[in-house]
Amino acid sequence: AARGAEAAIRDAGGTSAMLDLGGNVTVIGAKEDGSPWRVAVKDPRDTGSYLCVLALTDVTLSTSGGYERYFEENGKTYHHIIDPETGYPADSGLLSVTVVSADHLLADALSTALFTLPQAEGQALLDRYGAEAMWVDASGGEVFSPGFSAYLRT
């Protein structure tokens, strides 16, 4: 959806836009004043607040986590991110993973994959595809890939 919307905006001569597609935000160019777009990353423990603000230009931010799409049954929470090894919701000890990439589909795929993988394996994927990420663990601890801090504004 983001790729098609971006193409339509660019085909119409647009050079500056923000597309918010739920867990994915794509920014086209910079804001009209030339400054980067400022995008907040939700706090998975309190979705009414945020963890940080990122300054973004011509990239997609994608966040995956089990805190918005889930159900509870018999005291157990089941979310929508499935571990391909078990076929059950991923139990990675993470609350969320946010990825920044120049590629819309890659950002979404990586945020989901990194949610299911050990951090070292996730970092190897980020290195391979030139993306950056922030992991949030169950205690609220944050870990950043080496280049992620370049986007941080708060």
Side-chain angles (χ1 to χ4, degrees), residues 13-68:
T15 59
S16 177
M18 179 188 293
L19 306 170
D20 185 346
L21 305 170
N24 297 0
V25 176
T26 295
V27 296
I28 299 169
K31 294 192 306 187
E32 291 292 323
D33 67 4
S35 65
W37 293 96
R38 294 173 60 85
V39 179
V41 176
K42 282 184 186 179
D43 184 338
R45 294 160 299 165
D46 175 10
T47 58
S49 61
Y50 60 90
L51 293 173
C52 60
V53 174
L54 307 179
L56 305 174
T57 304
D58 277 324
V59 294
T60 293
L61 172 146
S62 178
T63 299
S64 292
Y67 56 92
E68 288 189 328

Side-chain angles (χ1 to χ4, degrees), residues 66-126:
Y67 56 92
E68 288 189 328
R69 295 182 191 119
Y70 67 92
F71 70 93
E72 294 181 13
E73 186 169 314
N74 298 325
K76 182 156 173 63
T77 301
Y78 297 89
H79 59 75
H80 70 293
I81 302 174
I82 304 302
D83 183 330
E85 304 247 336
T86 66
Y88 287 95
D91 186 15
S92 60
L94 296 171
L95 295 178
S96 69
V97 177
T98 297
V99 170
V100 176
S101 172
D103 183 288
H104 313 287
L105 294 176
L106 189 59
D108 189 34
L110 284 173
S111 66
T112 302
L114 269 60
F115 191 86
T116 68
L117 293 172
Q119 187 182 338
E121 290 179 38
Q123 184 61 57
L125 281 177
L126 294 171

